[in-house]
Amino acid sequence: MRCVLIGDVHLFRYRMSPRRLLLSKRALGVTNLVLTRRHRFRHDLLPGLVQQACDLHPDVALFSGDVTTTSLESEFRAFRQAVRPLTEAAGRSVYVPGNHDRYTFGSKRAGRVEAELKGLIPARFPHHERLSDTWSLLALDPVIPQKLHARGRLGRDQFSSALNVIRGVTEDQGLLVLCHYPCVYPEGVLHAPSHDMAEDTPMREALSRCRGRVVYCHGHIHRPWALHRGDDPKVPFTCINAGSPCYTSKDYPAGQGFYSFTLPDDPRGDLGIEHHLSAEASAMAVEAAVGGVGGVGAE
């Protein structure tokens, strides 16, 4: 079963009615957007990346949240339109909210993400569904609006229900978990309680005790990675961070792309994880490699 994972797209608009900024956290988000974020994101890369994902003919498309910047209706609609080719091509599409998708208290009261992404977001959380005879999906929603920080919380009921799902997985089964927040961090990645999920440690411990294979997919940190069990003592199961497809940096001047992987019939099999960069990024890599070879020859 082929899956694709797309993370923090962060579509935005920074021209809006002043009433939507007045006494709202959105004013802080727009200020950050104008000063820094808008210079980092290249949303012109998104159509090509979506087409690359479609060309993989995925069975499941996973979206790990933060598809918007300040949870505006126009941002949600722009996202839905951008990924429509993929959601139509995939056999199943599932989205979980990110902290920017429930950015303000007003957006939560209005149920905006639920209304705008109906059909992609599960009707309730935790969401558990069978994907195949041997694999199931557990989708989580720890996103709550905060005045200043970005801390998430599953809450007692959702966490308890998730634990029941995890305990029910048998040795010959696999569990695919989709959540915006990570619960495992690689060495050297800085994070703080104000930006984490409150239950990240107990969730990590519960998944570590799961009798079956666990694949944990998330976003939130704009830095893609795939961590494998056994690579590090602190990595007890496979973790895939989608990264941010349109976010540019020194390491990813043409965006961070997306991941694909395969859920084998036997959960103990190879996942075939692949990191897909934009066509522009691939061309840049080839040019750099050719230039490097030429440089050595010239010397």
Side-chain angles (χ1 to χ4, degrees):
M1 181 180 299
R2 174 65 66 90
C3 303
V4 296
L5 173 65
I6 294 180
D8 300 40
V9 177
H10 283 293
L11 292 173
F12 58 74
R13 61 174 297 191
Y14 48 87
R15 292 181 179 178
M16 64 190 75
S17 169
R19 70 177 179 82
R20 306 201 78 163
L21 296 175
L22 187 64
L23 299 177
S24 170
K25 183 182 177 183
R26 189 170 279 118
L28 178 64
V30 171
T31 300
N32 180 42
L33 171 63
V34 171
L35 295 179
T36 60
R37 191 177 287 261
R38 70 188 178 99
H39 301 293
R40 290 284 193 179
F41 282 88
R42 283 192 51 196
H43 289 123
D44 62 298
L45 296 170
L46 188 56
L49 289 167
V50 168
Q51 185 57 53
Q52 284 180 245
C54 289
D55 292 343
L56 296 173
H57 305 292
D59 300 292
V60 182
L62 304 168
F63 303 98
S64 59
D66 271 5
V67 301
T68 73
T69 298
T70 59
S71 62
L72 289 168
E73 296 93 338
S74 57
E75 295 170 340
F76 284 117
R77 291 167 189 172
F79 167 74
R80 186 143 203 168
Q81 181 64 29
V83 301
R84 189 180 303 278
L86 177 56
T87 58
E88 291 179 348
R92 179 79 173 97
S93 299
V94 182
Y95 153 91
V96 294
N99 52 293
H100 280 264
D101 300 331
R102 231 180 248 133
Y103 197 65
T104 65
F105 292 95
S107 65
K108 177 176 174 56
R109 286 194 300 270
R112 187 165 300 137
V113 63
E114 291 82 3
E116 297 294 340
L117 297 185
K118 185 177 181 180
L120 293 180
I121 184 173
R124 61 186 62 83
F125 290 94
H127 170 76
H128 182 228
E129 68 173 274
R130 180 66 56 188
L131 295 176
S132 71
D133 291 340
T134 53
W135 285 92
S136 64
L137 170 69
L138 173 64
L140 303 173
D141 178 10
V143 176
I144 51 176
Q146 305 281 6
K147 288 184 178 180
L148 294 176
H149 57 77
R151 188 165 175 79
R153 183 179 297 278
L154 289 166
R156 184 178 60 183
D157 291 345
Q158 185 176 179
F159 183 61
S160 176
S161 297
L163 287 181
N164 288 335
V165 171
I166 295 167
R167 290 169 183 150
V169 178
T170 61
E171 291 84 352
D172 59 346
Q173 294 177 334
L175 181 66
L176 174 63
V177 183
L178 180 62
C179 180
H180 179 65
Y181 289 86
C183 66
V184 175
Y185 296 88
E187 199 70 36
V189 172
L190 300 178
H191 58 102
S194 62
H195 200 246
D196 297 346
M197 180 172 69
E199 300 88 353
D200 58 2
T201 297
M203 177 57 70
R204 180 175 64 252
E205 292 173 349
L207 290 171
S208 300
R209 294 191 296 268
C210 181
R211 290 175 292 172
R213 179 80 175 271
V214 172
V215 179
Y216 189 96
C217 296
H218 67 89
H220 195 49
I221 308 295
H222 297 170
R223 179 177 166 182
W225 64 64
L227 307 176
H228 304 276
R229 181 176 182 176
D231 289 351
D232 186 302
K234 297 179 180 178
V235 182
F237 44 82
T238 301
C239 297
I240 307 175
N241 177 12
S244 181
C246 303
Y247 185 78
T248 62
S249 64
K250 180 180 178 181
D251 292 334
Y252 295 97
Q256 297 179 355
F258 66 95
Y259 275 96
S260 71
F261 57 94
T262 301
L263 300 179
D265 292 338
D266 182 349
R268 293 166 296 187
D270 183 19
L271 293 171
I273 301 172
E274 294 184 62
H275 187 204
H276 305 266
L277 294 175
S278 67
E280 181 177 331
S282 299
M284 291 170 66
V286 170
E287 183 178 346
V290 171
V293 171
V296 171
E299 282 190 342

